[in-house]
Amino acid sequence: MNLVRNHVLISIDAGTIMAGARAVEKTLVDEIASQGLTDEISVLETGSIGATGQGVVLVVYPEGIYYGNVTPQDIPELVEEHLLKGRPLKRLILSEIPKQHVIKKEKTGLLKEQPRIVLKNSGIINPENIDEYIAENGYEAIAKALTTMTPEEAIEEAKKSGLVGRGGAAFTTGMKWDFARQAAGDIKYIVCNADEGEPGTFKDRLILEGDPHKLIEGMLIAGYAVGASKGFVYIRGEYALSIERLEKAIGQARQYGLLGDNILESKFSFDITVMKGAGAYVCGEETALIESLEGKRGHPRNKPPYPVTEGLWAKPTVVNNVETLANVPEIILHGASWFRGYGTEKCPGTKVFTIIGNVTTPGLIEVEMGTTLRDIIYEYAGGIKNGKQFKGALVGGAAGAFLGPDMLDVKMDFVNLKEYSAVLGSGAILVMDEDVDMLDMLKSVLHFFRHESCGHCVPCRLGTAQLVKIIDRMSSSKGRKDDIDKLMNIARVMQATSFCPLGQSLYLPISSSLKYFGDEIRSRARQ
Amino acid sequence: MYRKQILKKFNPALDNILYILHDLQDNNPEHYLAKEDIRVCADYLGVPYSYVHSVASFYTMFSLKPRGRYIIRLCDSPPCHLMGSQSLLDYLKKELKVNVGETTRDKVFTLELTSCLGACGVAPAMMINEEMFGNLTPAAVDAILEKRRKEL
């Protein structure tokens, strides 16, 4: 085996492919070969490193230098300067390396370490190679669970860790598993909700693209704990690369005997099927998702019965979000008290946020629960773009809440935000600068809901249409005196009477935008 | 008959319906679910025509109208809206001389809107068929359209 002098990691995800990563990769491999360096330099594919909008990103190890916006034309110079002569090419080095890019050992005075649980391997390993996942203690947690823990003990560990669902509803994961375990019946299912549709959210896509085996392992542990032998991953139809990578990973896990019958010579058997959605936001609601899995229109079901007792094909079913399941292997491996070392007392662990909008470096970050909004924006995303002022943020996606400048120091976790009538939701943070027209933003949110209302119940179907009608006339200066009262009234009725969270959640963006930006919206509507 | 080949790939179980419809639509030369597609799917699964129609009409990714060779799906969710997707929509409408949901007269482009594509870090974003594009400007859109036109 050759001793490799440098490893060059190229980030291959939907974003970098858009920027031309495949062409850069090919040029790089060819150039290395033509310089006769093939034996010394190894080029590896990896998932997203967390930065978006930086074009094609390369990382050169052992130096740990990040290059951004690399084009095929830059490659000859890069290979000659850095890989041949050992001089980093300054003009391509990412000038602003946000903190989340600092990976484990690369500690410098300026950049703090990042707690990475969910994204531990993203941007480091090759997601298409199971051996690299195994080398990072992959599949050790399921081995530990199968050989040293009873299913009840695994559930107990999950409960003690305080892990709550990361999809938005924040229900205690261990409790959900326990309900399903105790539900009557021999056949039970684990369903992973990867129908990520909340506007501004792309964390699940990057987990699936960057470390698909982590999700498989999380589902295995959930299956063992609950007593299920079959799992489904429901992925958005638009996420082509996620589907491809996950299917590849499932194939490899089957080859290694980590999916299938008698896993690791225990009596536990489990397999996973990938299901591709077809574009319906409401299918992110767990019972609508189950309906869709069964081959129906994605209409939500009556609750109760809850899926844990009567879910997919009326069998007990656990529906967990991708990020939730990706936390599970680390909790089993290191224990609940280790996990509780992160985050807050009431809300342990980390949260993956997608921070976007008018910020300098939009992207994906994993921070401890309870990190302030100010830190997330100014420390991790480089502050407001072009030196402008912060005006507000929409936190938790379209179904989330607007926050004003006096909320910058609020601690971002599920429990704390609730006290301010806001939600963490899926972890999307859309930042708006001083120039943004808030009436226009609210209008965009309401249009989104009108499009995504599934039509099943009257309050949501008619309510979203009326809301759009009102906001449209407000923004075209034909607003009426009582329009704002009407918005609030309709939203209140929808919150009280809609069948599922889609219609109920509209109250939040409307009431919060009026709370923080009411004067502006009123005066804009009068113009 | 290519439709039979597609159906054969799947078990005739109702939970395969989305996969079957995706496959039928992808292989239809006009990129939509024709009445014939819905009928063969219904017969294969042993459910009424109306049932398959109800499912197909529910999901945004399925179209019941013929579409062009390239389906442009511009994201109009709040993050892309914030970064200027509205002006891009106006631009695309003007350039292609179509409204949302319509196909150009030469049957090359269909203009659609989509919910969040999860490409918010490079907003505004759009997809053309399976390919994603981000950081869009009118000039970038021009180049992308021009490239597609040349590929014809």
Side-chain angles (χ1 to χ4, degrees):
Chain A
M1 196 178 142
N2 292 315
L3 220 56
V4 174
R5 182 160 56 85
N6 281 113
H7 285 95
V8 184
L9 267 58
I10 176 158
S11 173
I12 301 280
D13 62 74
T16 57
I17 288 173
M18 261 191 265
R22 295 277 185 213
V24 170
E25 185 185 15
K26 191 179 172 300
T27 318
L28 179 64
V29 171
D30 292 350
E31 184 67 22
I32 287 172
S34 75
Q35 296 277 3
L37 295 171
T38 307
D39 292 342
E40 294 170 52
I41 315 270
S42 137
V43 178
L44 303 164
E45 287 186 11
T46 182
S48 171
I49 59 160
T52 57
Q54 306 279 11
V56 180
V57 179
L58 302 178
V59 195
V60 182
Y61 284 102
E63 296 93 325
I65 289 175
Y66 289 78
Y67 291 112
N69 300 306
V70 181
T71 65
Q73 289 76 38
D74 296 322
I75 293 297
E77 190 185 353
L78 186 82
V79 170
E80 182 173 336
E81 286 296 309
H82 191 155
L83 301 178
L84 205 62
K85 298 180 182 161
R87 297 190 296 227
L89 186 57
K90 283 209 182 84
R91 77 179 170 86
L92 290 176
I93 292 178
L94 278 179
S95 53
E96 296 209 39
I97 301 175
K99 272 199 266 183
Q100 78 267 20
H101 297 171
V102 180
I103 298 164
K104 285 181 209 155
K105 292 152 236 158
E106 280 73 45
K107 265 197 266 187
T108 69
L110 197 72
L111 309 165
K112 265 197 251 162
E113 258 191 339
Q114 257 300 294
R116 283 198 155 189
I117 297 175
V118 173
L119 301 175
K120 198 181 93 177
N121 299 327
S122 289
I124 298 176
I125 65 164
N126 177 354
E128 301 197 0
N129 185 345
I130 189 171
D131 291 333
E132 296 202 10
Y133 179 68
I134 290 171
E136 293 287 338
N137 304 329
Y139 292 108
E140 228 172 81
I142 182 63
K144 181 180 174 188
L146 288 175
T147 53
T148 68
M149 298 167 101
T150 63
E152 288 79 7
E153 282 167 349
I155 290 175
E156 205 42 48
E157 201 67 31
K159 274 190 189 166
K160 269 196 285 182
S161 75
L163 176 68
V164 298
R166 300 298 199 237
F171 191 79
T172 309
T173 307
M175 298 240 299
K176 205 184 246 188
W177 291 1
D178 204 7
F179 289 143
R181 172 152 196 92
Q182 289 181 19
D186 293 338
I187 300 173
K188 292 170 186 178
Y189 299 110
I190 304 295
V191 172
C192 170
N193 184 348
D195 190 49
E196 184 173 61
E198 194 60 60
T201 313
F202 47 98
K203 65 187 177 67
D204 296 342
R205 176 165 68 77
L206 294 187
I207 295 168
L208 287 163
E209 287 175 5
D211 199 6
H213 286 286
K214 201 170 207 81
L215 173 67
I216 296 174
E217 191 175 6
M219 287 182 77
L220 276 164
I221 294 165
Y224 176 67
V226 167
S229 57
K230 182 83 200 145
F232 294 88
V233 184
Y234 187 92
I235 307 192
R236 283 187 70 173
E238 291 92 341
Y239 281 10
L241 185 63
S242 305
I243 295 170
E244 185 193 317
R245 288 229 167 113
L246 183 62
E247 282 182 337
K248 201 173 258 181
I250 288 171
Q252 290 173 349
R254 280 192 194 127
Q255 266 177 19
Y256 276 57
L258 293 163
L259 284 174
D261 291 335
N262 296 320
I263 294 161
L264 301 172
E265 291 171 16
S266 68
K267 292 211 173 86
F268 174 63
S269 302
F270 193 81
D271 208 352
I272 298 175
T273 303
V274 177
M275 272 295 296
K276 184 172 151 184
Y281 171 73
V282 72
C283 288
E285 197 279 331
E286 57 180 4
T287 60
L289 186 150
I290 287 170
E291 287 281 296
S292 183
L293 268 179
E294 291 181 3
K296 301 176 190 161
R297 286 165 74 93
H299 283 165
R301 289 179 181 172
N302 247 330
K303 290 197 236 183
Y306 289 92
V308 284
T309 53
E310 252 180 71
L312 188 59
W313 296 300
K315 307 289 186 206
T317 305
V318 165
V319 184
N320 280 151
N321 172 262
V322 175
E323 188 188 343
T324 315
L325 287 164
N327 270 293
V328 168
E330 301 297 317
I331 290 172
I332 294 296
L333 200 58
H334 305 295
S337 50
W338 166 84
F339 187 74
R340 282 192 162 275
Y342 295 98
T344 64
E345 171 66 29
K346 284 182 186 161
C347 220
T350 60
K351 181 79 191 79
V352 181
F353 289 100
T354 44
I355 173 142
I356 50 169
N358 304 132
V359 289
T360 310
T361 50
L364 186 76
I365 58 164
E366 180 171 355
V367 296
E368 290 193 53
M369 285 280 188
T371 306
T372 64
L373 182 58
R374 185 188 299 278
D375 271 357
I376 290 173
I377 294 174
Y378 289 93
E379 301 283 315
Y380 296 97
I384 308 296
K385 212 172 179 173
N386 304 327
K388 291 201 173 148
Q389 289 295 310
F390 171 84
K391 180 169 187 177
L394 178 58
V395 174
F402 286 92
L403 299 178
D406 50 333
M407 292 290 282
L408 270 174
D409 291 307
V410 68
K411 287 192 165 71
M412 302 283 282
D413 65 53
F414 289 110
V415 182
N416 194 51
L417 277 175
K418 219 176 205 171
E419 284 173 23
Y420 295 93
S421 320
V423 290
L424 195 59
S426 57
I429 303 173
L430 177 61
V431 178
M432 290 157 263
D433 69 22
E434 52 192 289
D435 298 337
V436 174
D437 174 352
M438 298 316 260
L439 178 64
D440 192 47
M441 280 313 293
L442 182 60
K443 181 176 145 186
S444 167
V445 170
L446 299 185
H447 273 260
F448 169 80
F449 277 102
R450 184 190 56 177
H451 182 260
E452 295 299 344
S453 174
C454 79
H456 180 67
C457 75
V458 176
C460 179
R461 185 176 67 231
L462 299 184
T464 49
Q466 288 302 319
L467 289 172
V468 163
K469 211 168 146 187
I470 296 169
I471 197 106
D472 279 358
R473 74 175 176 234
M474 281 169 71
S475 66
S476 59
S477 316
K478 288 181 193 127
R480 297 172 195 167
K481 227 183 188 172
D482 56 348
D483 272 351
I484 285 186
D485 296 337
K486 272 194 182 141
L487 283 183
M488 281 299 283
N489 265 335
I490 295 171
R492 237 179 254 126
V493 171
M494 287 177 69
Q495 186 190 31
T497 59
S498 290
F499 190 79
C500 86
L502 195 154
Q504 293 158 9
S505 58
L506 252 168
Y507 178 76
L508 202 51
I510 294 177
S511 61
S512 60
S513 65
L514 292 172
K515 179 172 164 192
Y516 294 103
F517 309 103
D519 290 344
E520 179 192 334
I521 290 173
R522 267 183 209 102
S523 75
R524 268 283 284 111
R526 268 199 297 271
Q527 274 167 19
Chain B
M1 185 64 188
Y2 76 92
R3 290 191 173 100
K4 270 197 185 135
Q5 301 294 326
I6 290 171
L7 294 172
K8 259 199 276 176
K9 285 195 270 176
F10 303 94
N11 281 329
L14 199 55
D15 42 312
N16 280 327
I17 189 169
L18 294 188
Y19 263 102
I20 294 173
L21 291 176
H22 269 301
D23 215 338
L24 286 168
Q25 175 169 281
D26 291 347
N27 285 287
N28 185 306
E30 293 182 290
H31 311 286
Y32 81 117
L33 290 168
K35 284 184 178 159
E36 182 62 14
D37 291 309
I38 292 178
R39 199 184 58 75
V40 295
C41 180
D43 290 349
Y44 189 66
L45 296 176
V47 293
Y49 178 94
S50 60
Y51 182 88
V52 179
H53 185 276
S54 83
V55 171
S57 61
F58 182 80
Y59 296 94
T60 318
M61 285 179 87
F62 299 131
S63 174
L64 299 171
K65 280 197 310 196
R67 292 187 288 184
R69 172 155 170 194
Y70 296 109
I71 297 151
I72 301 173
R73 288 187 284 171
L74 179 72
C75 176
D76 73 335
S77 287
C80 279
H81 185 84
L82 177 71
M83 305 307 278
S85 64
Q86 183 60 43
S87 61
L88 279 176
L89 178 63
D90 295 340
Y91 187 76
L92 278 164
K93 280 185 186 168
K94 198 179 90 201
E95 275 301 296
L96 300 172
K97 300 188 182 69
V98 290
N99 279 315
V100 174
E102 291 177 357
T103 301
T104 53
R105 210 180 284 171
D106 56 7
K107 297 202 169 126
V108 177
F109 296 105
T110 299
L111 179 60
E112 293 184 355
L113 290 176
T114 175
S115 297
C116 187
L117 293 170
C120 325
V122 290
M126 70 178 185
M127 274 179 106
I128 296 187
N129 297 350
E130 294 280 285
E131 213 178 330
M132 283 236 222
F133 300 91
N135 291 326
L136 293 171
T137 57
V141 167
D142 271 345
I144 292 164
L145 295 185
E146 196 47 41
K147 191 169 165 236
R148 298 293 165 306
R149 283 197 185 103
K150 274 191 189 141
E151 278 169 12
L152 288 175

